[in-house]
Amino acid sequence: MAFSELSRPWRARGHSIPRGGLLLCHGFTGSPQSMRPWAEDHAARGWAVELPLLPGHATTWQDLTRYRWQDWYEHVRDAALELSDRCGPIAVGGLSMGGALTLALAQDPQLRGRISALVAVNPGMTLPAAAGFAELIAPLLRTVPGIGSNVAKEGVIEEAYERTPLRAVAQLNRLFRRTRRGLGAVEAPLLLATSSVDHTVPPTDSELVAAGVHGSVERLSLTRSYHLAPLDHDAQRLLDASARFLEEHVPHLAGAQQ
């Protein structure tokens, strides 16, 4: 896979005084390309948007094996703190593993008061039982087929690795376990968007999230999309729902356009 400029980190400062801050987190083995429609849509609505590239992504699958889940988490945590320093209370949204990172950020004691709203799209919470042995198997079987481009819309391709390294799967499994255990600490309002047909993350993972978090949950059913909803048939419906939800829950910056 040749990665384009769409896979690079992306940011928009919003208006001279932005509506507020929005941090977006992409998924495992993917890149910011899968989140660009969401980022660009909300930037056009006046939000200051940060869409970072997670360590080890959009390079080579071999590079991904060098990183731990803590590296992904600390990268988005630093971005959240910096955005909150500029914009006050922020919103965080994520897709798949990015949804797990979104929920993990909301558990962080130093961020809880800084995050006013969450949007999780097909958040990953579990992996097949065999993932528990991924680190043991990795020296013998380094990779398995990639998980990218799970899209119902014809002709849409995700910029993602064509192979998935098992060492990284072991780290993903640790992130999911850690995030599941802490769901009760999530108090920020959550918009939880779930595809009814998803070949990457089972829809039951969303049920775990809805049952586990302590804050309010609004559900959005995505009936025409597979896993990568921001690139799929339900994209505009998702973006409109996200914009409305954030408008309701994120305080306006003083002087921001109403």
Side-chain angles (χ1 to χ4, degrees):
M1 165 64 68
F3 291 95
S4 73
E5 285 300 311
L6 292 173
S7 290
R8 300 299 100 199
W10 192 85
R11 66 167 44 179
R13 293 290 184 176
H15 298 144
S16 56
I17 301 176
R19 165 61 186 85
L22 171 63
L23 170 66
L24 293 175
C25 309
H26 70 78
F28 181 64
T29 75
S31 75
Q33 176 254 353
S34 64
M35 305 291 279
R36 277 290 288 270
W38 192 350
E40 292 176 358
D41 176 274
H42 281 41
R45 299 177 196 247
W47 292 84
V49 181
E50 292 288 336
L51 175 52
L53 172 64
L54 297 175
H57 289 75
T59 53
T60 65
W61 68 257
Q62 291 90 342
D63 187 35
L64 185 58
T65 65
R66 299 171 46 230
Y67 294 95
R68 306 167 303 147
W69 72 265
Q70 291 94 334
D71 297 313
W72 308 326
Y73 176 74
E74 289 167 8
H75 193 76
V76 293
R77 184 179 185 275
D78 288 346
L81 288 168
E82 189 275 335
L83 184 61
S84 178
D85 285 343
R86 287 194 285 117
C87 297
I90 64 170
V92 182
L95 166 69
S96 194
M97 180 181 80
L101 288 168
T102 294
L103 293 161
L105 288 173
Q107 299 167 22
D108 192 311
Q110 291 190 15
L111 284 169
R112 243 178 264 165
R114 294 176 178 242
I115 297 176
S116 294
L118 307 167
V119 183
V121 181
N122 296 320
M125 288 287 113
T126 65
L127 289 174
F133 303 99
E135 203 154 26
L136 294 173
I137 299 169
L140 302 174
L141 180 67
R142 298 181 69 191
T143 69
V144 293
I147 57 172
S149 297
N150 185 209
V151 186
K153 191 173 184 179
E154 188 174 351
V156 176
I157 300 297
E158 180 191 14
E159 295 188 11
Y161 292 144
E162 295 173 352
R163 303 294 298 179
T164 303
L166 286 183
R167 287 192 186 279
V169 170
Q171 294 300 316
L172 180 66
N173 197 38
R174 291 188 178 110
L175 171 64
F176 283 0
R177 288 203 314 264
R178 186 259 195 195
T179 305
R180 283 200 316 273
R181 287 196 301 267
L183 284 174
V186 176
E187 298 179 348
L190 168 65
L191 174 62
L192 180 58
T194 310
S195 296
S196 51
V197 177
D198 188 332
H199 305 97
T200 306
V201 169
T204 50
D205 281 17
S206 285
E207 303 304 322
L208 291 174
V209 171
V213 300
H214 188 68
S216 63
V217 181
E218 178 179 326
R219 302 296 299 267
L220 178 66
S221 179
L222 305 173
T223 59
R224 301 176 60 239
S225 300
Y226 294 161
H227 184 61
L228 294 163
L231 298 177
D232 217 328
H233 293 295
D234 289 305
Q236 195 58 55
R237 184 163 164 263
L238 168 64
L239 302 182
D240 290 342
S242 170
R244 174 193 52 76
F245 188 79
L246 301 191
E247 183 65 29
E248 291 175 3
H249 293 289
V250 180
H252 279 259
L253 285 172
Q257 297 182 14
Q258 301 284 324

